[in-house]
Amino acid sequence: MPTLPSAPLRLTAPDGRAAFGVYQGIVPELSWRTLALTPLQRLSRKLHHKRWQYAALAHDDFLIAAAVVDVGWNGTAFAYLFDRKRGEVMAAANANGLPGIGVSMADRAFGDARFRLPGKRFAFERAGDVLRLSVASRELNLDAEIDLSAMPPVLAVVAPANYLAHSTHKSGGLPARGEARCAAGRYDLAATTASLDYSNGLLARETRWRWASAHGAGIGFNLQQGYMGREENAVWLDGRLWRVGAATFDYQADNPLAPWRIRSDDGMVDLTFTPEGARREDKNLIIAASRYVQPVGRFDGELIDPDSGTRHAVRALAGVTEDHVSRW
């Protein structure tokens, strides 16, 4: 298994070209300011600049997901708690801002990101090796601490996208603690496993993707089909990280709660995803719109070690899939 090269110091090379590649580690300087652009691209760069910070906290009995999104001219945030025993979303909070109001985000992987409106606050706050995730709303309150001190290898990708370029950092298998509270009761986060996604790119007006992500102790994967092609497809196993091929998502778009089959074209990934329920959200804000469904459930199947050929079973690994189209 070839080792991924170390992440570069920044997203662009001295000549202004994007530092395209798939790496292991964290890119310290996450700014596109020095990317070589045409005059027209410079004028429209802010409209195409999209950043988001996402976290999932997976447990045998529930799954919590939250995100803060900066779309350049606007911001949004969401959080939800899905009870796996009941098979339903027990609490969901979301908010949309106005241009220039509500959202702030650092150009740092797994760093600070905040969204605030009257009555609602969503925040990622970094302090050393701890990332605190908090949500304060009428629907859901969350106080979580994600431990980054023994973080498995981080996947860092800088790749061509459907407009100019995109970067993403992915990590998982992280211990967390804290609690979530909603009308359904209190949920202890002590046995949860966290996964993180920080993305920062220059994307097209319409962007679509399919995604699958699940992480447990010593095992995890990130698979995508869409605007980044195969570039961010990867597997984590026993403290190692490796790339896998292009992913195929075989599912029913009109019935996303039917089983999904997800495979990589190099044969290293073969998974069945059984949804237990889903969070859905369709927005039409006139100048922006999105169609989004994120089923929550279990993955079963196998991952093949490219070094030894050993088949590693995946059994009841909690995670999510996603079918998403955004006009932003």
Side-chain angles (χ1 to χ4, degrees):
M1 178 182 62
T3 302
L4 293 177
S6 297
L9 294 177
R10 52 191 60 87
L11 294 176
T12 56
D15 63 2
R17 291 182 297 175
F20 292 142
V22 179
Y23 308 102
Q24 181 170 305
I26 290 177
V27 181
E29 187 178 316
L30 289 170
S31 170
W32 294 107
R33 287 192 301 271
T34 58
L35 181 68
L37 300 173
T38 67
L40 181 59
Q41 289 169 342
R42 283 196 294 273
L43 285 173
S44 63
R45 183 178 68 86
K46 186 171 179 59
L47 295 176
H48 290 280
H49 191 195
K50 319 296 177 186
R51 299 180 293 176
W52 61 87
Q53 181 103 282
Y54 169 93
L57 302 166
H59 188 278
D60 288 344
D61 297 332
F62 60 88
L63 185 140
I64 297 170
V68 173
V69 183
D70 178 0
V71 300
W73 55 272
N74 200 352
T76 186
F78 73 81
Y80 70 86
L81 188 155
F82 180 87
D83 190 309
R84 299 184 63 204
K85 289 184 174 181
R86 302 185 189 186
E88 61 180 303
V89 175
M90 305 308 298
N94 62 78
N96 297 301
L98 296 171
I101 298 175
V103 67
S104 64
M105 186 170 299
D107 282 329
R108 180 188 183 189
F110 319 140
D112 291 355
R114 299 179 182 88
F115 187 93
R116 181 192 291 269
L117 285 178
K120 294 186 178 182
R121 181 179 185 270
F122 306 77
F124 294 84
E125 295 169 308
R126 180 75 175 267
D129 286 333
V130 173
L131 180 64
R132 185 182 180 208
L133 168 58
S134 60
V135 176
S137 71
R138 179 176 56 84
E139 301 87 354
L140 175 65
N141 286 278
L142 171 67
D143 288 291
E145 290 188 350
I146 301 169
D147 184 357
L148 309 181
S149 62
M151 184 182 291
V154 174
L155 174 71
V157 180
V158 185
N162 55 358
Y163 177 65
L164 285 177
H166 188 67
S167 72
T168 189
H169 287 78
K170 302 286 199 300
S171 188
L174 303 165
R177 65 188 181 207
E179 69 173 21
R181 302 172 302 281
C182 63
R186 175 184 175 275
Y187 292 77
D188 187 351
L189 308 181
T192 58
T193 300
S195 55
L196 300 173
D197 173 350
Y198 174 84
S199 295
N200 182 329
L202 300 168
L203 299 178
R205 168 80 167 137
E206 182 170 299
T207 304
R208 61 182 63 213
W209 64 85
R210 301 179 183 101
W211 180 55
S213 173
H215 294 266
I219 187 171
F221 54 82
N222 184 86
L223 302 165
Q224 192 253 177
Q225 182 183 45
Y227 68 102
M228 285 190 79
R230 58 164 286 178
E231 299 306 310
E232 65 172 80
N233 293 346
V235 167
W236 289 258
L237 194 62
D238 297 329
R240 296 175 298 143
L241 166 66
W242 65 82
R243 298 181 68 185
V244 295
T248 299
F249 287 67
D250 185 5
Y251 74 111
Q252 299 178 41
D254 58 349
N255 182 20
L257 295 184
W260 298 45
R261 182 81 180 276
I262 303 167
R263 291 170 284 185
S264 63
D265 65 359
D266 56 10
M268 297 293 141
V269 175
D270 190 348
L271 299 167
T272 297
F273 175 68
T274 305
E276 299 164 349
R279 176 183 180 263
R280 303 169 186 259
E281 187 173 62
D282 293 329
K283 295 181 180 179
N284 188 348
L285 305 177
I286 309 302
I287 59 173
S290 68
R291 179 181 58 79
Y292 164 95
V293 58
Q294 187 174 87
V296 178
R298 57 177 282 172
F299 288 90
D300 297 276
E302 64 180 17
L303 308 172
I304 298 178
D305 188 316
D307 281 343
S308 65
T310 302
R311 297 175 181 271
H312 293 267
V314 177
R315 294 288 180 266
L317 186 62
V320 300
T321 56
E322 188 172 284
D323 185 1
H324 196 143
V325 179
S326 284
R327 188 175 73 250
W328 51 9

